[in-house]
Amino acid sequence: MSKDRIVKAVKKFVGVRYKVFTKHYGQDIIDFFDLPIKLVLSPFTLAFGIAGSAHRGFGVPELISKLSYASVFAVATLGTYDIALDLGKKVVCQRNCRTCNGWQALRCTMCRGSGRVHYQVKNCSFKRGEKATAESVADAIADNRAEIVHLPSSLDLHIPLPSKECPSCDGTGVMSCPECKNKLQVRISADDIMEPPWKAYNILRKMDYPFEHITHSMKDPSIAAFWLLTFPQIMGGFTYDDEVKQKIWWQYKESTQYDQLRDVVAKRKPGWEYLQEALISIDPERARDDPIIVRNVPFYKAKKALESEVMKLDPPPRPPNWGELDLPLSSSSWSEEDLKDPEKFYEMTVLLNAQREISNKILDAQWETKWRQEKVNQMLEEKVQPYIQDIGNGVLSEPILLKPQQNQDKRQRRKRWFFF
């Protein structure tokens, strides 16, 4: 019985307090939650209120009633048009291409965006008495007496070959999307009404996150162990087995092998060209676009030797009035009243002299760099010019000019008949 009395007393107390609370604060709470709904519906309620309270007749009351009705219909009409246009844009929309993500263009696969490709000459027929020189081959190509074989940039033969504009992209480096070509770029579908994130998902799927700072820090094995082993265990709440850790660490060693060897090649110490070949063998695809890789090693070494010779030379003195610098200070930076003060005048003299000395050092460094670069180019041209003259009248090598296959077939047949 005591429990029932306690429950009844509690219910009575709560009921009394609820009535008191609703009596004092109930309407305020209802008005607070009803405020957003009133703000949204205020244009309609205001128009209908003005229309209902205005008396019918002539003059101002009739004008107010007509304006209220016109505002209601204008708001309803504009809202309907906006909804219809929005739905129309979503139903009749752009074609969803997952290859180019709606850009209708891709990087050219032939030249890899450079706009130029290497080529070889095949089945070249010369006139009587002509040799396979550069001029005769050019004439044969112009007269359609030779066939040009374009080599894609993904195929690197490590042979110096001539280059020309890419026929696939006309030298722009951009090709049209094969999925969107010759197809209507408009589609009618109701799937976009809910706006699924297809385009964002496709971009995200192809995106390579800019984790340069993490990649750079991964060169340290201790930091790499944290990112590969400790961090996933902390975030995931699980522990790796020793066998799994060993596999992850082996993969890390294999992935960092290229970067470690690349740092050694970048120092250009003796024997770097052999390490460069090992670098190409580890990852040919990455080495093809790596700026550290030197394509023509003999030319690079010869140019470096010339640069070392030029660095030993003393540049001539800088010509007067050579170069211009935008200096921040001048004599006009001080007023005449400031120059009357001896301290201000001394300050101007010291600052202008220091500025002149700094600017002369900068111009001397620029002149020395420019003179050495021009000297290297001049010496390089003097050494290469004889070879260029010989190439103009010499016979082209086999990598540039392919031999016709018919002659090879005839030779094989002759060998067979000779054998019999």
Side-chain angles (χ1 to χ4, degrees), residues 218-221 224 228 248-256:
M218 290 282 281
K219 294 181 180 180
D220 189 353
L228 296 174
I248 294 174
W249 196 249
W250 284 345
Q251 291 178 0
Y252 164 74
K253 286 292 186 182
E254 292 179 359
S255 62
T256 56

Side-chain angles (χ1 to χ4, degrees), residues 181-351:
K181 192 175 182 180
N182 299 327
K183 291 183 180 178
L184 188 63
Q185 299 302 318
V186 178
R187 66 185 180 93
I188 299 175
S189 175
D191 296 336
D192 286 344
I193 294 177
M194 299 300 294
E195 295 184 359
W198 285 338
K199 185 177 291 187
Y201 173 73
N202 292 333
I203 297 174
L204 184 64
R205 184 166 52 88
K206 297 181 180 180
M207 184 182 295
D208 189 11
Y209 291 97
F211 290 156
E212 289 85 359
H213 61 288
I214 298 179
T215 304
H216 182 72
S217 64
M218 290 282 281
K219 294 181 180 180
D220 189 353
S222 59
I223 299 177
F226 169 78
W227 284 112
L228 296 174
L229 303 176
T230 308
F231 185 74
Q233 292 180 136
I234 295 173
M235 298 300 294
F238 54 85
T239 56
Y240 287 133
D241 297 335
D242 293 338
E243 184 178 357
V244 176
K245 290 182 179 179
Q246 191 67 29
K247 290 181 179 179
I248 294 174
W249 196 249
W250 284 345
Q251 291 178 0
Y252 164 74
K253 286 292 186 182
E254 292 179 359
S255 62
T256 56
Q257 187 178 6
Y258 183 93
D259 295 327
Q260 294 174 356
L261 193 58
R262 184 180 185 274
D263 295 339
V264 178
V265 173
K267 296 178 181 178
R268 305 300 182 194
K269 293 183 177 181
W272 63 269
E273 60 271 14
Y274 305 106
L275 296 177
Q276 177 178 277
E277 295 178 0
L279 200 64
I280 296 172
S281 63
I282 292 174
D283 193 349
E285 187 69 22
R286 182 179 175 184
R288 187 177 295 112
D289 300 329
D290 197 340
I292 292 296
I293 301 298
V294 177
R295 304 298 176 189
N296 195 344
V297 177
F299 177 79
Y300 178 82
K301 288 185 174 181
K303 188 175 180 181
K304 287 297 180 182
L306 286 178
E307 290 179 355
S308 62
E309 292 180 7
V310 173
M311 289 299 293
K312 297 177 182 178
L313 301 177
D314 295 330
R318 177 170 57 89
N321 299 327
W322 183 89
E324 294 181 359
L325 290 178
D326 188 9
L327 301 177
L329 296 178
S330 63
S331 59
S332 60
S333 301
W334 286 266
S335 62
E336 295 180 358
E337 296 179 358
D338 294 337
L339 296 179
K340 293 178 182 179
D341 188 359
E343 294 181 358
K344 295 282 186 178
F345 183 79
Y346 178 73
E347 178 186 359
M348 180 190 73
T349 306
V350 171
L351 290 177

